[in-house]
DNA sequence: GGAAGGACCGTATAAATATACGGTATGCTC
DNA sequence: GAGCATACCGTATATTTATACGGTCCTTCC
């Protein structure tokens, strides 16, 4: 479908976008291929557009758009905010100091693009019954109301912990999922920081 | 660190890049926020650059670069190839029919950009002891040799299963991690399809 | 009360940028 | 051999684009 030359140019555009974050200008393509004239590039771009590989917006700079770019349009950068205790509550949690961020597929994790999503690394094993292990990254959606049964990051008495949110006799309680921990934590003042949306575990080398 | 306004503008730049594939021009930012002057945008961009959120290349159009862009340059599309049995081996596995693909951070999962990585959805609970549950997505790296202790997707007698690869008396065996399953599966002919690199679980709504 | 930073406006402008126009040359095909 | 697509060149140019300069108004902080 594409000629050899057209394919070379398309590959360069892809590479440029992946590395620089933006598509190249006509002049940059011209330089890469050592063309003497920008018109040569223009010709190729016309061909690529006709064949549907790229789109262009008339009258703007750096106006090349890859036709299949929308594939990764649903990505959001989820900040990794620190460590959360799945065990006894600890104060060393949920700081607002983004060390790092994870590019995640918002649709896969059911994350609202508008709401604040964040990730925390789990320390402790109080949630092993729910398959959440020490070292896992939990993905949480901030700013919402949990449904009983949800796993939540909760702030109780100034300390944050990961527990299951359930109702007992009309009152919300936080429940661990490990027989070695107290099953129920009575809650006086409860602030939900985030609702569990998923987790990521990576094999340790 | 960033002011409210600076953050709004940074978010717009991020969103524009995610949706359009390129960062916005000064004029596009100006229009989005209904500023009467491009100088206002310039002021904000200066502040964002000073604070390290963006970088700019002098003398070019559409020259905003997100400082943390390189992080998402490491994304690879990992095909979701089907379902794998974590239980008794089944023939319905590892088909070469990509239904879907997952954009994943290659560095996070330790995936080689060159090698073939793939994902499978887990059916069964023979690996719950390793924290792998029914419905999880396991990320596997194809084409390598497992180290004893690795979790692998293995093809035995034409059927695929997810098990831990260990050595017993000098011979490789596949081990389930659930007392309800036979602990060791003697292996006559063993083909490793992939080595476990991580998993993704999403909360079911 | 002055200094500093933030948030804007209006205008001006050099440089970057995409593209049009008119060429040449080559290979393919009907 | 005419017609057509591809692959290039050189030049010209209307726009786009980023940014500089000189302002105003406000809040915060010492």
């Amino acid at each position: 479908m594409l000629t050899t030359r057209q394919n070379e140019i398309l590959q360069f555009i892809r590479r440029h976008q992946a590395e620089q974050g933006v598509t190249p200008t006509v002049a940059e393509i011209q330089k890469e291929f050592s063309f003497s004239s920008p018109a040569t590039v223009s010709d190729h771009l016309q061909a690529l557009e006709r064949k549907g590989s790229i789109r262009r917006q008339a009258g703007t700079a750096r106006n090349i758009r890859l036709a299949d770019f929308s594939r990764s349009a649903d990505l959001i950068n989820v900040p990794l905010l620190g460590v959360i205790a799945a065990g006894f509550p600890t104060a060393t949690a949920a700081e607002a100091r983004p060390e790092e961020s994870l590019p995640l597929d918002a649709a896969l994790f059911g994350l609202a693009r508008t709401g604040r999503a964040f990730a925390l690394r789990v320390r402790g094993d109080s949630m092993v019954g729910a398959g959440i292990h020490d070292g896992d990254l939990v993905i949480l959606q901030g700013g919402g109301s949990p449904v009983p049964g949800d796993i939540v990051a909760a702030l109780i008495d100034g300390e944050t912990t990961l527990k299951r949110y359930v109702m007992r006799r009309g009152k919300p309680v936080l429940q661990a999922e490990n027989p070695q921990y107290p099953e129920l934590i009575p809650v006086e003042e409860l602030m939900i920081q985030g609702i569990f949306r998923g987790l990521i575990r990576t094999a340790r080398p």
Side-chain angles (χ1 to χ4, degrees), chain A:
Chain A
M1 183 170 178
L2 294 184
T3 68
T4 309
R5 204 52 157 163
Q6 285 164 9
N7 203 47
E8 282 173 14
I9 290 173
L10 184 60
Q11 292 313 314
F12 174 68
I13 296 170
R14 280 195 212 285
R15 201 168 61 243
H16 197 281
Q17 168 129 43
E19 287 165 8
Q20 308 286 331
V22 294
T23 49
T25 63
V26 169
E28 283 163 355
I29 299 173
Q30 182 188 346
K31 191 182 171 196
E32 169 74 13
F33 292 91
S34 303
F35 293 139
S36 307
S37 167
T40 303
V41 179
S42 218
D43 288 350
H44 284 302
L45 294 181
Q46 256 176 45
L48 285 172
E49 187 169 29
R50 182 165 39 80
K51 294 182 178 180
S53 301
I54 62 171
R55 279 172 296 109
R56 288 184 297 173
Q57 287 164 10
T60 59
R62 215 179 275 275
N63 62 355
I64 304 170
R65 301 288 181 277
L66 290 166
D68 58 358
F69 177 76
S70 56
R71 190 188 313 283
S72 55
D74 209 21
L75 283 175
I76 56 176
N77 270 319
V78 175
L80 174 56
L81 293 183
V83 172
I84 188 169
F88 296 103
T90 166
T92 12
E95 307 165 11
R97 166 183 49 90
E99 310 162 355
E100 218 178 325
S101 69
L102 309 168
L104 298 182
D105 186 325
L108 180 63
F109 286 95
L111 298 175
R113 188 168 277 281
T114 52
R116 293 169 308 285
F118 58 100
L120 295 171
R121 192 170 292 278
V122 173
R123 283 281 165 258
D125 55 359
S126 77
M127 295 303 284
V128 289
I132 301 175
H133 292 239
D134 188 68
D136 287 356
L137 289 168
V138 287
I139 315 301
L140 300 148
Q141 173 79 57
S145 296
V147 174
D150 280 354
I151 293 168
V152 299
L155 185 71
I156 52 175
D157 307 325
E159 299 179 329
T160 300
T161 184
L162 191 68
K163 291 284 181 294
R164 192 179 293 276
Y165 174 91
V166 293
M167 300 297 272
R168 283 288 155 88
R169 278 177 252 119
K171 288 207 161 188
V173 292
L174 297 178
Q175 180 183 337
E177 302 229 348
N178 183 333
Q180 298 178 355
Y181 288 84
E183 256 218 340
L184 299 180
I185 297 178
V187 177
E188 309 262 321
E189 193 184 6
L190 178 64
M191 172 151 176
I192 303 299
Q193 295 187 314
I195 301 169
F196 177 84
R197 286 278 180 259
L199 74 78
I200 290 176
R201 182 182 309 149
T202 58
R204 275 156 287 193

